[in-house]
Amino acid sequence: MAFSSSSALSRISNLSRHFHSPNSKTSDDPQGAIDAPGGGLIKISSEVSAAISRGHPVVALESTIISHGMPYPQNLETAKEVEAIVRKNGAVPATVAILDGTPCVGLNEEELERLSILGNRVQKTARRDIAQVVASGGNGATTVSATMFFASKVGIPVFVTGGIGGVHRHGEQTMDISSDLTELGRTPVAVISAGIKSILDIPRTLEYLETQGVCVAAYRTNEFPAFFTETSGCKAPCRVDTPEEAAKLIVANMNLELGSGILIAVPIPNEHSAFGSLIEKAIQTALQEAREKNIVGNAETPFLLKRVNELTGGASLASKKSKTIHLFRTWSAALSLGFL
């Protein structure tokens, strides 16, 4: 199933505003990147811009997983492998980040390596942080919400990531709710994910997504996956069993102009699911330590992920990397078909 002609024209029209504005210019870098209007607000690599303008499949990728999700050099290896899988299956990867104050959609190898080496010295950038990072000329690794925002701006309908944020445990008291969820409620981008991290309150997260009007589906399972484990104890609102079914769901959402995104969760590979009980025990220990040290807000999730990895002797990191790679292999059929 391809996009309708009116949908394709709409996407091309949207992109033409970026390519042909009086303020647009072509960069001299090897990518031949093109700046968007408004003094270079968004820089789109030539590979990505050409693919979108021709209606070829493009997949958005976040950069927080590079700078904050894994240590160097595993982060760079994973980023390169993920991009290679996307290309192998006929789509163009569009890793999103903010470099020296310029939002970039599509990174070259040098830029990927720069983000990987800088690691957590790069600011973790959600939607609320975009203006500040741009105005200060800083470097930002985009989270789910920021990546969705930029993907939608340039006409990329699909974004593949690891785990999304959610309602934190005890969120009914702290009101600590990830901006990923509100972004899914207002930005029409399909997010293919490993599910919701076990360190979060999964039942309340699913309830919040329902309030936001977000279509939530699980891939080949009736139970919503919990990132490190196949099961969460929560029934998935919707199930899809093939890339074709998922593509039809995404296209229907776009054609109806519902204005909200879609979340499709893919379970962890069987060979790594055995670590689930070990990781869950470590999560409980890390949560207790975070409470004792009064680690809250944005600092909590990085602390928990790091501590869980330490407590499991690296098992959670191995599981995380495997899951990220598995996501792209699972979706290779959809990418090669050009639905997305």
Side-chain angles (χ1 to χ4, degrees), residues 191-195 215-226 229-231 234-250 262-270 323 326-335 337 339-340:
V191 178
I192 316 302
S193 164
C215 177
V216 176
Y219 189 66
R220 293 180 178 173
T221 178
N222 292 320
E223 190 166 340
F224 195 84
T229 60
E230 293 177 283
T231 60
C234 300
K235 187 178 184 299
C238 172
R239 171 175 174 155
V240 290
D241 287 298
T242 65
E244 290 85 352
E245 287 183 14
K248 289 177 181 178
L249 190 65
I250 294 168
I262 291 178
L263 175 62
I264 301 176
V266 182
I268 193 171
N270 289 331
K323 192 163 184 56
H326 172 69
L327 275 168
F328 290 88
R329 288 178 177 154
T330 299
W331 283 88
S332 62
L335 302 180
L337 285 169
F339 288 151
L340 312 180

Side-chain angles (χ1 to χ4, degrees), residues 7-316:
S7 175
L9 286 172
S10 175
R11 292 176 68 201
I12 293 171
S13 175
N14 178 49
L15 284 163
S16 68
R17 293 187 291 105
H18 295 279
F19 302 150
H20 303 301
S21 165
N23 294 325
S24 297
K25 61 180 181 179
T26 302
S27 169
D28 292 328
D29 71 28
Q31 287 183 298
I34 297 174
D35 290 335
L41 284 179
I42 301 176
K43 187 174 76 171
I44 312 171
S45 74
S46 57
E47 180 186 25
V48 172
S49 64
I52 300 176
S53 64
R54 294 168 185 166
H56 294 168
V58 180
V59 176
L61 308 172
E62 65 159 281
S63 50
T64 297
I65 197 169
I66 300 172
S67 62
H68 292 74
M70 301 177 189
Y72 182 82
Q74 291 101 315
N75 54 358
L76 180 60
E77 293 168 0
T78 302
K80 286 183 175 180
E81 187 170 355
V82 162
E83 288 207 347
I85 291 169
V86 173
R87 287 195 174 92
K88 181 181 178 181
N89 289 282
V92 173
T95 300
V96 178
I98 300 175
L99 298 174
D100 300 320
T102 300
C104 302
V105 178
L107 303 182
N108 58 30
E109 286 193 22
E110 182 181 338
E111 290 165 336
L112 283 175
E113 185 168 10
R114 179 183 175 189
L115 280 175
S116 302
I117 293 172
L118 285 173
N120 57 21
R121 286 175 289 172
V122 177
Q123 182 171 336
K124 188 175 180 180
T125 305
R127 182 188 180 111
R128 70 160 190 186
D129 308 303
I130 293 172
Q132 180 263 316
V133 176
V134 169
S136 65
N139 297 315
T142 54
T143 64
V144 169
S145 64
T147 306
M148 286 184 71
F149 172 80
F150 288 120
S152 179
K153 278 287 186 183
V154 303
I156 300 174
V158 174
F159 162 39
V160 182
T161 185
I164 68 161
V167 178
H168 283 249
R169 300 191 186 201
H170 311 293
E172 72 277 12
Q173 299 169 351
T174 64
M175 295 301 293
D176 191 351
I177 301 171
S178 171
S179 61
D180 296 353
L181 306 187
T182 49
E183 199 66 40
L184 275 160
R186 65 183 171 188
T187 302
V189 170
V191 178
I192 316 302
S193 164
I196 299 165
K197 300 181 183 76
S198 302
I199 59 175
L200 303 171
D201 189 324
I202 296 177
R204 283 191 172 91
T205 298
L206 292 173
E207 287 289 347
Y208 194 87
L209 286 169
E210 190 259 337
T211 301
Q212 293 289 314
V214 178
C215 177
V216 176
Y219 189 66
R220 293 180 178 173
T221 178
N222 292 320
E223 190 166 340
F224 195 84
F227 191 77
F228 288 119
T229 60
E230 293 177 283
T231 60
S232 65
C234 300
K235 187 178 184 299
C238 172
R239 171 175 174 155
V240 290
D241 287 298
T242 65
E244 290 85 352
E245 287 183 14
K248 289 177 181 178
L249 190 65
I250 294 168
V251 171
N253 188 69
M254 293 176 64
N255 289 343
L256 289 167
E257 298 182 349
L258 291 172
S260 55
I262 291 178
L263 175 62
I264 301 176
V266 182
I268 193 171
N270 289 331
E271 62 267 29
H272 289 284
S273 61
F275 290 119
S277 58
L278 170 67
I279 293 171
E280 185 58 34
K281 183 178 179 180
I283 286 171
Q284 295 303 322
T285 300
L287 282 166
Q288 180 61 36
E289 291 178 4
R291 284 192 290 270
E292 292 171 354
K293 295 179 180 181
N294 196 31
I295 299 173
V296 296
N298 288 342
E300 184 179 32
T301 297
F303 168 80
L304 292 174
L305 292 175
K306 180 181 178 182
R307 189 70 183 115
V308 167
N309 193 54
E310 292 170 351
L311 289 168
T312 59
S316 67

